[in-house]
Amino acid sequence: MTAASKRKPLPGQVVLVLQGGGALGAYQAGVYQAMHESGIEPDWVIGTSIGAINAALIAGNPPGQRLDRLRKFWKFSDGPAPAVGPLAWLGMDSSLAMMNTVMRGIPNFFEPNPAALFGTHADVGVEAASYYSMAPLRESLTSLIGSGQLGQCSTRLTVGAVNARSGEMRYFDSRHETLSTDHVLASGALPPAFPAVRIEGEPYWDGGIYSNTPIEAVFDDHPRRDSLIFAVDVWQPDGPEPQSIWQVMGRQKDIQYASRTQSHLARQEQIQRLRRVIREMEKHVPAGQRSDPEVRELATYGCGATMHVLRLLAPRLEGESQAKDIDFTVAGVRTRWQAGYKDTLAMIERAPWEAPVDLIAGVVEHLGAKR
């Protein structure tokens, strides 16, 4: 008997929410591996930046191929770790790897943009104004996602991007429109590293510069549904007091891209509780008055959906720095992937969503491993 067959029915649709974070996204791939091996496939995947790329690799492939596609993108292997390099004792192995990333890019992901050689003041246009080109990523996604799969996938896909002109956030949703590789690239176009991607005539950048945690898309969905939400955070909202300019830069990036997840959830818990209160109060309205247009209008603000939010937080790695989001080293990817796998297996084993909840609580938060 499989683990899935032993488990009680899940409390609603399964949603996987993925932040942006560059190389930190390897943790998200480990989260999906644990879900897949536990027989839990997402009904809806929402992502921003690297989260959008992982989301597309998941939603854009049938369940049996998803893990393989993620492994190929991340070049992940369960084999033995590589031998320690000769410069490791000086602490230079990772530094040299990241310097190589800055100078040469990442194969199948991004490469230096020749237009950047004209200088930062050259008017090259918003679609070329960047230090790197994402042409390799376009080719990678095309090869790893079946032709037309983003537009035809049965798993709902939502990716966030911000309009470079208006500054407004937009969530592109496969339930309402046909998505393509362009939508995924736009969600990952973090300026000034990457250029804007034009969709419907408008230039779009990485949604992470506006809101890096796209969980709001679930709470704003209509109609709201009972949900089991795997919310994967890769940036540390809490941290030690920085002591150097380098540490200050790292702490600033963590705070910026953690995107106030906790405050978002606190507000949504409050709003959803009020919706539940309205729903309960409607039951006390005399039957003869429920058909009144004003009463019916007020009743629409009620909601009986319960959303369980499973918070999974990527760990800090020893010796990591403010450049951790470009740490695409084999060791870095493996360590984060395996951490996501381990943390998610532990959460699924606990199955906290099966415990009784407050009748009025519409959003129930369950914390993963403490960091």
Side-chain angles (χ1 to χ4, degrees):
M1 183 178 293
T2 65
S5 62
K6 295 178 182 178
R7 191 168 43 242
K8 295 180 181 178
L10 299 177
Q13 67 175 344
V14 176
V15 186
L16 179 59
V17 180
L18 306 174
Q19 279 186 337
L24 307 181
Y27 180 87
Q28 301 168 349
V31 169
Y32 173 73
Q33 180 184 356
M35 293 174 63
H36 176 76
E37 293 182 358
S38 300
I40 301 176
E41 292 294 340
D43 300 297
W44 183 10
V45 192
I46 307 169
T48 298
S49 198
I50 193 64
I53 294 171
N54 282 332
L57 292 170
I58 294 168
N61 286 288
Q65 296 178 10
R66 292 170 174 174
L67 193 54
D68 174 68
R69 296 297 191 268
L70 285 168
R71 289 180 183 277
K72 287 181 177 177
F73 176 79
W74 288 97
K75 294 179 172 56
F76 176 81
S77 170
D78 281 326
V84 176
L87 297 178
W89 66 281
L90 291 174
M92 294 176 63
D93 264 8
S94 60
S95 297
L96 289 175
M98 284 185 270
M99 181 61 69
N100 185 63
T101 296
V102 171
M103 298 301 294
R104 302 178 61 184
I106 296 289
N108 302 319
F109 198 159
F110 59 91
E111 61 189 8
N113 177 19
L117 297 176
F118 293 113
T120 57
H121 295 284
D123 292 333
V124 295
V126 71
E127 293 171 274
S130 64
Y131 292 112
Y132 302 97
S133 164
M134 291 193 293
L137 178 58
R138 181 183 295 277
E139 294 181 9
S140 295
L141 291 177
T142 300
S143 67
L144 293 172
I145 299 172
S147 177
Q149 287 297 308
L150 286 181
Q152 303 169 7
C153 54
S154 58
T155 299
R156 184 179 175 186
L157 173 65
T158 301
V159 298
V162 64
N163 189 303
R165 287 193 320 103
S166 69
E168 294 182 0
M169 185 72 170
R170 178 172 173 180
Y171 286 108
F172 296 97
D173 192 332
S174 65
R175 190 174 71 176
H176 306 298
E177 57 200 314
T178 298
L179 301 191
S180 69
T181 302
D182 282 346
H183 296 88
V184 181
L185 293 174
S187 185
L190 181 66
F194 305 128
V197 177
R198 199 171 294 278
I199 299 174
E200 300 171 358
E202 293 290 328
Y204 284 91
W205 278 329
D206 189 320
I209 65 176
Y210 185 96
S211 178
N212 198 43
T213 306
I215 194 170
E216 61 203 45
V218 186
F219 297 122
D220 292 337
D221 195 35
H222 294 284
R224 296 178 190 85
R225 298 172 52 189
D226 290 342
S227 303
L228 182 63
I229 305 168
F230 288 78
V232 188
D233 296 341
V234 296
W235 297 96
Q236 298 283 339
D238 302 315
E241 190 174 292
Q243 301 299 315
S244 67
I245 293 177
W246 185 252
Q247 291 176 4
V248 166
M249 292 167 66
R251 190 74 200 105
Q252 179 267 335
K253 188 181 286 187
D254 266 329
I255 294 172
Q256 177 181 353
Y257 290 118
S259 284
R260 306 174 302 282
T261 301
Q262 190 57 50
S263 61
H264 281 328
L265 281 176
R267 175 59 60 86
Q268 289 298 333
E269 288 173 5
Q270 181 184 46
I271 293 173
Q272 193 66 5
R273 179 176 287 270
L274 290 174
R275 293 190 181 112
R276 295 295 281 269
V277 168
I278 292 172
R279 181 173 177 269
E280 292 302 311
M281 290 183 67
E282 181 191 4
K283 298 177 182 178
H284 297 281
V285 176
Q289 296 181 20
R290 293 180 189 175
S291 59
D292 182 278
E294 186 174 357
V295 173
R296 289 206 308 268
E297 172 66 21
L298 293 173
T300 63
Y301 289 92
C303 177
T306 299
M307 301 181 184
H308 291 268
V309 181
L310 311 180
R311 293 283 304 281
L312 295 159
L313 177 61
R316 289 187 180 86
L317 301 187
E318 184 177 355
E320 72 179 18
S321 70
Q322 68 99 3
K324 61 186 177 182
D325 51 328
I326 61 169
D327 177 18
F328 288 92
T329 60
V330 173
V333 168
R334 175 183 284 107
T335 301
R336 291 191 168 91
W337 183 306
Q338 292 177 340
Y341 178 72
K342 178 181 177 181
D343 289 350
T344 308
L345 282 183
M347 179 69 83
I348 293 173
E349 178 67 24
R350 281 174 48 205
W353 58 85
E354 295 181 354
V357 298
D358 183 351
L359 179 65
I360 301 299
V363 176
V364 185
E365 184 179 0
H366 308 284
L367 299 179
K370 292 184 179 181
R371 302 300 183 192

